[in-house]
Amino acid sequence: MKKNLLPFVSFLFVLFATTSCKKIINNATTNPVPPTPTITAPGAYYGALTSIRTYFEFDPNKFSPVKLPVALPMMNIDLETAVASFFTATSSTTLTDAGAVDVNTFSLTKADNNAYYRNGFSPTSPTNVDLNFSSGSNWNVAGSSSVTAFTYNHNVAFPSYGGLATLPTTVTKSSNLSLNISSSNADSIYVAILSGSSTSTGTVIKRYGGTATNIVINSSDLSALTTTGSDGIAYLEVIPWRYNTATLNSKDYVFMKLAAYVKNIEIE
């Protein structure tokens, strides 16, 4: 079966498309790195362990809690995060405890619902967070009554995309959107546009093959988006993604590497 995974936390953990306008607005107020769409890995497995690199270009003037006396230039945030989920059965979406989990000796926090995450971003003091993914993703799962302990080094190359700087800063709903999404080391490439205001929300998510280059998103799809008015916020994301499955202790686990290239945009 296919499972919907949770590869991000509040800021981008929980790799989920936003389901309400308030989530986008509240997220931007407390943590400017946006949510991203649900990534679904094929197959049946007992757990998913995901390494994430995020490259985010955003306008700090939109996220300041007070009106700034002068406009600030665009800023870039690069960070690495990790999430892990373990299931009671391959046919289940119920998360289970797996004991202590770390990647490259960085401990993940276990949420109340048994989802594991490493969130190193602070909205009050933004810093680049490096989990040493350049040397691989060396996972260590201590185990529990329902998960047998294991280690696994997911050392395949991250997918990458070199076009963040050239992504448009404005998307017009009434016109087709053309993008070059040429990426490296990707099994699939997702393009997502998330928009929201205090009264409405809109989401467009498209999936393309790993070798896709020039793509067009039709205006008929873009019509679902919310324009960014006085309180609107929107993001454009190109997300190359790859995965592999490993059998450990006679159980299959999926390991994913994902790179999210995100730009804060206007929608008109």
Side-chain angles (χ1 to χ4, degrees), residues 10-198:
S10 59
F11 59 95
L12 72 107
F13 277 177
V14 195
L15 271 196
F16 283 158
T18 305
T19 55
S20 73
C21 57
K22 290 184 178 179
K23 284 187 180 180
I24 291 181
I25 298 301
N26 292 342
N27 183 78
T29 301
T30 60
N31 217 331
V33 184
T36 60
T38 302
I39 302 295
T40 301
Y45 39 83
Y46 282 90
L49 300 91
T50 305
S51 307
I52 304 152
R53 280 179 170 164
T54 300
Y55 307 89
F56 181 36
E57 182 179 295
F58 80 108
D59 185 350
N61 305 287
K62 291 182 178 297
F63 300 108
S64 174
V66 297
K67 183 175 177 59
L68 299 174
V70 294
L72 296 177
M74 295 290 285
M75 293 181 62
N76 290 285
I77 296 176
D78 300 343
L79 68 158
E80 296 181 338
T81 56
V83 293
S85 300
F86 303 88
F87 307 100
T88 54
T90 58
S91 59
S92 173
T93 56
T94 300
L95 301 182
T96 189
D97 174 41
V101 176
D102 65 67
V103 62
N104 297 335
T105 71
F106 292 93
S107 299
L108 275 67
T109 299
K110 186 179 72 171
D112 292 341
N113 67 344
N114 289 323
Y116 290 82
Y117 61 92
R118 176 80 186 196
N119 179 357
F121 183 83
S122 168
T124 58
S125 181
T127 57
N128 293 351
V129 178
D130 188 347
L131 299 183
N132 296 333
F133 285 157
S134 58
S135 299
S137 299
N138 198 349
W139 291 94
N140 179 56
V141 177
S144 65
S145 59
S146 55
V147 177
T148 303
F150 67 83
T151 61
Y152 183 81
N153 189 12
H154 189 207
N155 59 5
V156 302
F158 261 89
S160 62
Y161 167 68
L164 177 59
T166 62
L167 289 177
T169 56
T170 300
V171 170
T172 303
K173 293 170 55 176
S174 60
S175 302
N176 293 345
L177 174 64
S178 298
L179 299 172
N180 186 332
I181 61 170
S182 179
S183 302
S184 300
N185 301 316
D187 292 328
S188 297
I189 305 168
Y190 290 79
V191 176
I193 308 173
L194 309 180
S195 62
S197 69
S198 59

